[in-house]
Amino acid sequence: MEKPTSLIIIFGATGDLAKRKLFPSLFHLYRKGKIGNKFAVIGVARRPWSQEQFQQHVQDSVLTSLGQAEDIESFVQHFYYQSIDVTDSSSYVQLNELANKLDVQYDLNGNRIFYLAMAPEFFGTITEHLKADGLTATNGFKRLVIEKPFGHDLESAKQLNNQIREVFSEDEIYRIDHYLGKEMVQNIEVIRFANALFEPLWNNRFISNIQITSSEVLGVEERGRYYDKSGALRDMVQNHMLQMVALLAMEPPIRLTTDEIRSEKVKVLRALRPIKGEDVHRYFVRGQYGPGAIRNEMVPGYRQEANVDPESNTETFVAGKLMIDNFRWAGVPFYIRTGKRMSAKSTKIVIQFKDIPMNLYYKMDQPLSPNLLVIHIQPEEGITLHLNAKKAGQNMETTPVKLDFANNSIDGMNTPEAYEKLLYDCMRGDATNFTHWDEVALSWSFVDEISKVWESTREEKFPNYAAGTMGPKAADELLAKDGFHWWPVSDFEVQSK
């Protein structure tokens, strides 16, 4: 396969995202031979660094991530630095001069990727300058990579999209949702569509409910100022959680192309039952963590975190019941929950199959365990199938058994970092695992109705769960009303208090 060739211009190159994710991911691609020597990277930021400082920064980033790295010297020689003011046209003129020089030096055919790894308020400004100051006037392809959040609500997302579409067409815009780069999220399609064991059962006749949990042990850390204006609903549900719901619920695409897969995901988001007004309190639960213990160490509550309003009404936890009103999923609840300062770090999907019509092995003191398909996304990656089998001995008693597949045990190393996959996809022009505008718009329109209710009513019970637990009691009651319960995500899980 021909190796992709392009100039990558990273805005925000001195920031945390570039240091922790982008530089190590590019190095992985370089070491694996997926990108050859026909690539160059221009780091763009406000700091008045020299090229040598920037190259040392890139090298330190890779070594911190990997511990040691062969070929690091030749790798960093592909990195250049330009200090700019993103609002000043003269800075872009200088940047374009450097870009044109590197295009010739590395034989890049005019291919350019603009990666915006910085504050969202600059997205529109930067894209307008890219066109006005000549950086998009190239003979090769031009692509824009944007980190979340894409807007703060539907209206702001529309405004941002309109600005960007003045410069880039929809097929040139790559909106990153790093969950879509994770190995096991991408594996959802394969599990469903490549196995006769599952696809015939993947509907409301055989599935009773689906649960998606994404829990974090960490608090807001240094993101307090951003998070207090965002909250878990906008930070996690609008993008990551709804994307996983769409992948789980979509119809089989006609073929595995970007347009066909995106089309099926959009149909799911269109079929989501709108949750409005008083229904929000019936279908959704919000929480905010208070002080508590994480691994026997006391941690502060959300309101005591840096840059957080001491009387904040922002949710750090969301649990919800989603209904998809189409032929396949009518009547099947999709339960989602996500939160900070919970008892375990885990992203996991549990598909619970319906009980068999007649249980020949039923005992009052030992009900038959349901069949479960568990997709482990992080930190472990793999699949577990929960079945029932005969317990050893003379009696015909049953016992639950688990069939496990773990991705990271195959070759003794972790699967590729999500950003590595997504960067490579972008360089190859594969937008399948990036978010289309239609998905963004439908997600915001769904979430905005919930935000409207929560922002207009102050939650007097905050904080309503202790750090180190799995969220407020109301999240358990949400499922109990339907006769279900949350399946544990790890051995460390502590039930709500």
Side-chain angles (χ1 to χ4, degrees):
M1 180 184 291
E2 187 176 347
K3 294 175 181 177
T5 297
S6 64
L7 171 65
I8 305 171
I9 302 176
I10 301 175
F11 288 81
T14 60
D16 190 55
L17 174 66
K19 180 180 180 181
R20 290 190 303 109
K21 300 292 186 182
L22 304 186
F23 302 147
S25 295
L26 285 169
F27 181 74
H28 276 295
L29 293 173
Y30 181 74
R31 280 295 311 278
K32 292 175 181 177
K34 290 189 173 181
I35 53 176
N37 284 313
K38 289 186 177 182
F39 83 97
V41 178
I42 303 178
V44 175
R46 287 180 299 176
R47 298 182 188 180
W49 282 4
S50 66
Q51 184 169 305
E52 290 72 24
Q53 279 179 288
F54 181 58
Q55 289 181 348
Q56 185 61 50
H57 177 71
V58 173
Q59 181 168 321
D60 292 344
S61 156
V62 173
L63 292 174
T64 299
S65 174
L66 304 180
Q68 58 179 359
E70 298 176 17
D71 303 328
I72 187 67
E73 290 83 5
S74 59
F75 174 70
V76 298
Q77 294 306 310
H78 291 262
F79 284 73
Y80 299 81
Y81 186 75
Q82 180 79 52
S83 175
I84 75 166
D85 174 355
V86 295
T87 63
D88 180 17
S89 282
S90 62
S91 292
Y92 291 89
V93 172
Q94 293 175 3
L95 179 61
N96 198 28
E97 290 172 358
L98 175 58
N100 289 332
K101 175 186 170 186
L102 296 178
D103 186 45
V104 174
Q105 181 178 336
Y106 288 93
D107 191 20
L108 302 177
N109 300 317
N111 296 331
R112 293 181 182 178
I113 295 173
F114 304 94
Y115 197 121
L116 307 189
M118 56 192 308
E121 58 261 31
F122 296 115
F123 290 172
T125 302
I126 292 171
T127 52
E128 287 174 349
H129 274 287
L130 291 177
K131 180 179 181 180
D133 300 316
L135 278 124
T136 58
T138 174
N139 294 326
F141 64 68
K142 64 181 192 296
R143 295 171 187 151
L144 182 72
V145 184
I146 301 183
E147 282 285 334
K148 72 166 187 136
F150 195 91
H152 185 72
D153 53 19
L154 180 58
E155 194 53 43
S156 61
K158 283 180 178 177
Q159 292 174 4
L160 175 58
N161 199 57
N162 290 338
Q163 268 186 299
I164 292 171
R165 289 293 298 271
E166 291 292 322
V167 183
F168 296 89
S169 62
E170 178 61 35
D171 62 0
E172 294 173 329
I173 302 170
Y174 290 67
R175 301 174 189 84
I176 274 201
D177 183 332
H178 68 267
Y179 268 55
L180 296 183
K182 293 184 182 294
E183 183 72 22
M184 290 310 300
V185 172
Q186 294 185 0
N187 223 330
I188 291 171
E189 295 171 47
V190 180
I191 292 167
R192 287 191 55 190
F193 304 136
N195 291 291
L197 179 65
F198 294 126
E199 181 52 30
L201 309 181
W202 212 262
N203 55 60
N204 53 10
R205 291 178 59 204
F206 298 100
I207 291 177
S208 67
N209 73 91
I210 293 178
Q211 300 178 17
I212 306 171
T213 296
S214 183
S215 59
E216 296 182 60
V217 173
L218 294 176
V220 293
E221 306 304 296
E222 71 283 350
R223 299 173 71 219
R225 183 171 285 108
Y226 158 76
Y227 197 90
D228 208 35
K229 295 177 181 176
S230 172
L233 186 68
R234 291 187 175 101
D235 190 51
M236 287 292 294
V237 175
Q238 183 271 331
N239 38 69
H240 306 323
M241 306 300 281
L242 289 182
Q243 282 293 318
M244 286 191 282
V245 168
L247 286 169
L248 287 163
M250 73 182 194
E251 295 295 319
I254 297 170
R255 59 187 66 85
L256 294 175
T257 62
T258 299
D259 289 344
E260 296 298 342
I261 291 172
R262 282 175 161 180
S263 174
E264 297 304 335
K265 287 163 65 183
V266 165
K267 289 177 185 175
V268 173
L269 297 174
R270 281 182 180 162
L272 274 178
R273 183 182 299 173
I275 311 296
K276 300 180 180 181
E278 285 302 308
D279 281 345
V280 170
H281 303 301
R282 292 175 49 227
Y283 283 85
F284 273 80
V285 171
R286 57 177 165 167
Q288 186 188 93
Y289 67 84
I294 303 282
R295 306 290 189 271
N296 299 318
E297 181 179 334
M298 291 302 298
V299 296
Y302 175 70
R303 293 179 177 182
Q304 287 79 54
E305 301 278 17
N307 300 314
V308 170
D309 181 350
E311 297 183 355
S312 176
N313 196 45
T314 299
E315 77 286 348
T316 61
F317 173 96
V318 173
K321 173 183 173 180
L322 309 182
M323 302 302 293
I324 299 171
D325 293 330
N326 64 17
F327 197 78
R328 180 184 289 262
W329 295 112
V332 178
F334 283 66
Y335 299 109
I336 61 171
R337 63 173 169 171
T338 180
K340 292 189 174 295
R341 286 292 190 216
M342 297 172 77
S343 62
K345 175 180 175 60
S346 178
T347 300
K348 191 169 291 188
I349 298 165
V350 180
I351 295 95
Q352 180 175 340
F353 292 92
K354 288 183 175 180
D355 296 335
I356 55 176
M358 179 181 177
N359 181 7
L360 297 174
Y361 300 95
Y362 179 79
K363 289 187 175 183
M364 292 300 293
D365 59 340
Q366 187 187 4
L368 203 62
S369 298
N371 295 143
L372 306 174
L373 173 65
V374 183
I375 302 173
H376 310 267
I377 294 171
Q378 66 175 15
E380 72 274 17
E381 294 182 340
I383 310 164
T384 304
L385 186 60
H386 294 245
L387 303 173
N388 291 297
K390 179 183 176 298
K391 185 183 291 186
Q394 297 297 320
N395 297 326
M396 290 298 291
E397 294 184 17
T398 63
T399 185
V401 296
K402 295 193 294 185
L403 305 181
D404 282 313
F405 162 77
N407 247 353
N408 55 6
S409 67
I410 297 172
D411 54 11
M413 61 185 292
N414 289 329
T415 52
E417 167 63 45
Y419 275 92
E420 179 185 332
K421 291 171 177 283
L422 295 174
L423 280 167
Y424 187 56
D425 283 349
C426 181
M427 294 174 80
R428 294 187 300 117
D430 183 354
T432 305
N433 296 308
F434 294 81
T435 313
H436 189 275
W437 164 246
D438 290 345
E439 298 171 63
V440 174
L442 288 165
S443 297
W444 273 127
S445 63
F446 178 81
V447 162
D448 280 355
E449 294 294 338
I450 302 163
S451 295
K452 192 186 303 180
V453 173
W454 282 356
E455 288 173 359
S456 64
T457 56
R458 181 167 183 79
E459 180 55 72
E460 298 298 335
K461 296 179 182 178
F462 278 176
N464 60 358
Y465 72 98
T469 65
M470 285 303 289
K473 185 179 180 182
D476 298 331
E477 295 169 349
L478 182 69
L479 274 68
K481 288 185 294 187
D482 297 333
F484 301 122
H485 62 83
W486 292 107
W487 293 100
V489 295
S490 85
D491 295 337
F492 295 109
E493 182 167 334
V494 178
Q495 292 304 310
S496 307
K497 295 288 190 288

